[in-house]
Amino acid sequence: MTTVSKIDAVVLGAGIVGVCAALHLQARGRSVLLVDRRGPGEETSFGNAGLIERASIVPYAFPRTVREVLRYASNRASAVRYDPLFLPRITPWLFAYWRHSSPSRLAEAASAMLPLIERCLDEHDVLIAAAGAEDVVRRDGWIEAFRTPAAFDRAVAATSAAAALGLRFEILDSRSLHEREPGLTGALRGAVHWLDPVAVRDPHALTMRYFDLFISRGGSFQTGDAQTLDRQAAGWSVTTSAGTTEARDAVVALGAWSGRLAQRFGHRVPLAVKRGYHMHYAATPGAELTRPILDDEGGYVLAPMTRGIRLTTGVEMAAADAPASPLPLSRCEPLARQILPLGARLDATPWMGLRPALPDMRPVIGASGRQPGLWFSFGHAHHGLTLAAVSGRLLAELVTGEEPVVDSNPYAIARFG
């Protein structure tokens, strides 16, 4: 006989976004089951640059100048690589992304994202304190560095918008930069040190601290296939290793895998995947790193992690299930060694993850609108870690009928028809 249990809400996806949604629903008195095919935080939440990016006030846009487009079209850039065989399939999405990256639409996207960005750190801080995770974070910002004076000058000019929003930063010339990070070589000409963001020493460990908090407060986790989600008369059911669970509400927080499930319940969402890689390196004595460094022109990040110095690559446009490519890392690693003498590789193979991205550069957070009790929180692109806590709060407020912390309309799935 099949075992059937009942619960208030099931959250599909135990990455950082799903775990935060579960915690916030739980805090509002809901019994919650987390479901994932793997362990908590073992997909995209496992590998990123580890930044709670409070200073990211403008979304990552598609290049608009002919020079930039031609640079990336050559498919030799370190920041972006595409699979030529995949290009015909992704071209409509890229065109939509390009359209939304016009100056007026980019400003609209930035305005839509700002309320979440402004609250991202405050909401994480509540969970960090509750989870006892202060030892996993470092509160001295990150550094955006530049190889050429022209790029540095453009960045400095652009800081006026950040200053107007009250963000804290310091402009570093080459000498000041190397005083702050003595391990860096002379390849960099200047930098902006963003002081508000928080760096995470181990993103997977932070997810696990949040997950442990959820479990300690009475939450449940089971392995299972989200595609078993099914409509029931009084809500939803999902099949897991422990049997069938019925819930009044179901939350889809599956990251890059959310689009397929949303489509099954009547939503066609233009969700694409930006693949990314990371590798850890030993620190060379005398060339340690204390803060994350973005090589702006190189298109990668070096971040000090518990395991070693993590190099995270830029974007690869390829099918989600295509074999990993050696090219993104092989292009970025020589550039990284120019600015920091890295030691030996510490991982047997590069890690690869999938960033879920929507062309209008904002996530989907809120109700289905077509299926009662079905909710979504996905499509955070490069900012899943950054926005997880505030997205969880907003989602839980919508589910429970509270006054939402921010206007949720810009993130409604209805914008896609």
Side-chain angles (χ1 to χ4, degrees), residues 8-9 21-32 248-249 251 366-367 373 375 392-405:
D8 291 331
L23 273 169
H24 275 283
L25 285 167
Q26 185 184 60
R28 287 157 178 80
R30 300 296 173 95
S31 56
V32 184
R248 179 174 54 194
D249 295 297
V251 178
W375 306 84
R393 174 176 173 177
L394 175 59
L395 188 282
E397 289 169 340
L398 294 171
V399 171
T400 58
E402 294 180 32
E403 181 71 23
V405 64

Side-chain angles (χ1 to χ4, degrees), residues 7-13 33 35 224-232 234-240 243-254 257-258 260-267 368 371-376:
I7 205 162
D8 291 331
V10 58
V11 177
L12 303 173
L33 169 67
V35 175
D225 184 353
Q227 295 300 325
T228 65
L229 184 71
D230 196 20
R231 183 78 207 170
Q232 302 295 321
W236 299 90
S237 69
V238 64
T239 302
T240 72
T244 299
T245 296
E246 294 182 352
R248 179 174 54 194
D249 295 297
V251 178
V252 177
L254 294 166
W257 297 271
S258 300
R260 178 184 169 195
L261 193 56
Q263 184 173 358
R264 185 151 71 84
F265 293 105
H267 297 279
S368 159
Q371 302 284 346
L374 184 61
W375 306 84
F376 299 111

Side-chain angles (χ1 to χ4, degrees), residues 127-214:
L127 298 183
I128 288 169
E134 192 63 38
D135 62 305
V136 181
V137 302
R138 182 179 178 122
R139 298 181 180 275
D140 53 3
W142 68 282
I143 293 175
E144 183 180 11
F146 304 89
R147 290 170 175 262
T148 63
F152 178 44
D153 291 343
R154 287 193 297 270
V156 171
T159 57
S160 58
L165 292 171
L167 291 173
R168 299 176 303 128
F169 58 88
E170 294 181 15
I171 305 298
L172 306 176
D173 60 19
S174 180
R175 179 177 177 179
S176 299
L177 172 60
H178 296 299
E179 288 175 351
R180 193 146 302 183
E181 289 289 346
L184 296 174
T185 70
L188 300 171
R189 297 292 177 260
V192 179
H193 184 177
W194 298 100
L195 302 173
D196 295 288
V198 167
V200 181
R201 303 174 192 272
D202 185 337
H204 181 246
L206 183 65
T207 302
M208 290 305 299
R209 296 288 182 90
Y210 288 2
F211 174 77
D212 290 344
L213 177 64
F214 167 72

Side-chain angles (χ1 to χ4, degrees), residues 82-361:
Y82 62 87
D83 178 355
L85 298 178
F86 183 65
L87 195 57
R89 292 169 54 187
I90 197 65
T91 294
W93 186 90
L94 290 174
F95 179 67
Y97 185 20
W98 176 82
R99 288 179 59 246
H100 281 288
S101 297
S102 69
S104 61
R105 292 190 176 188
L106 181 59
E108 180 183 338
S111 178
M113 293 303 295
L114 186 60
L116 296 179
I117 294 292
E118 287 179 327
R119 292 162 177 80
C120 69
L121 188 53
D122 291 341
E123 296 301 330
H124 265 295
D125 278 344
V126 172
L127 298 183
I128 288 169
E134 192 63 38
D135 62 305
V136 181
V137 302
R138 182 179 178 122
R139 298 181 180 275
D140 53 3
W142 68 282
I143 293 175
E144 183 180 11
F146 304 89
R147 290 170 175 262
T148 63
F152 178 44
D153 291 343
R154 287 193 297 270
V156 171
T159 57
S160 58
L165 292 171
L167 291 173
R168 299 176 303 128
F169 58 88
E170 294 181 15
I171 305 298
L172 306 176
D173 60 19
S174 180
R175 179 177 177 179
S176 299
L177 172 60
H178 296 299
E179 288 175 351
R180 193 146 302 183
E181 289 289 346
L184 296 174
T185 70
L188 300 171
R189 297 292 177 260
V192 179
H193 184 177
W194 298 100
L195 302 173
D196 295 288
V198 167
V200 181
R201 303 174 192 272
D202 185 337
H204 181 246
L206 183 65
T207 302
M208 290 305 299
R209 296 288 182 90
Y210 288 2
F211 174 77
D212 290 344
L213 177 64
F214 167 72
I215 295 298
S216 72
R217 290 176 170 177
S220 300
F221 171 79
Q222 295 169 14
T223 56
D225 184 353
Q227 295 300 325
T228 65
L229 184 71
D230 196 20
R231 183 78 207 170
Q232 302 295 321
W236 299 90
S237 69
V238 64
T239 302
T240 72
S241 56
T244 299
T245 296
E246 294 182 352
R248 179 174 54 194
D249 295 297
V251 178
V252 177
L254 294 166
W257 297 271
S258 300
R260 178 184 169 195
L261 193 56
Q263 184 173 358
R264 185 151 71 84
F265 293 105
H267 297 279
R268 294 186 63 85
V269 184
L271 186 68
V273 168
K274 295 181 178 182
R275 306 198 326 173
Y277 299 79
H278 82 224
M279 171 61 68
H280 292 100
Y281 300 82
T284 301
E288 292 84 4
L289 192 65
T290 57
R291 304 168 185 84
I293 304 287
L294 166 66
D295 180 348
D296 187 79
E297 291 144 293
Y300 64 87
V301 174
L302 289 173
M305 296 282 177
T306 303
R307 176 163 172 73
I309 297 175
R310 177 180 291 182
L311 188 161
T312 61
T313 70
V315 169
E316 181 184 51
M317 304 302 298
D321 57 356
S325 169
L327 290 175
L329 190 63
S330 67
R331 291 175 179 177
C332 291
E333 184 179 303
L335 296 174
R337 292 187 181 279
Q338 291 175 5
I339 70 168
L340 187 73
L342 297 170
R345 288 187 175 190
L346 299 178
D347 304 323
T349 58
W351 176 91
M352 185 187 77
L354 310 176
R355 306 178 184 104
L358 292 157
D360 61 357
M361 295 166 283

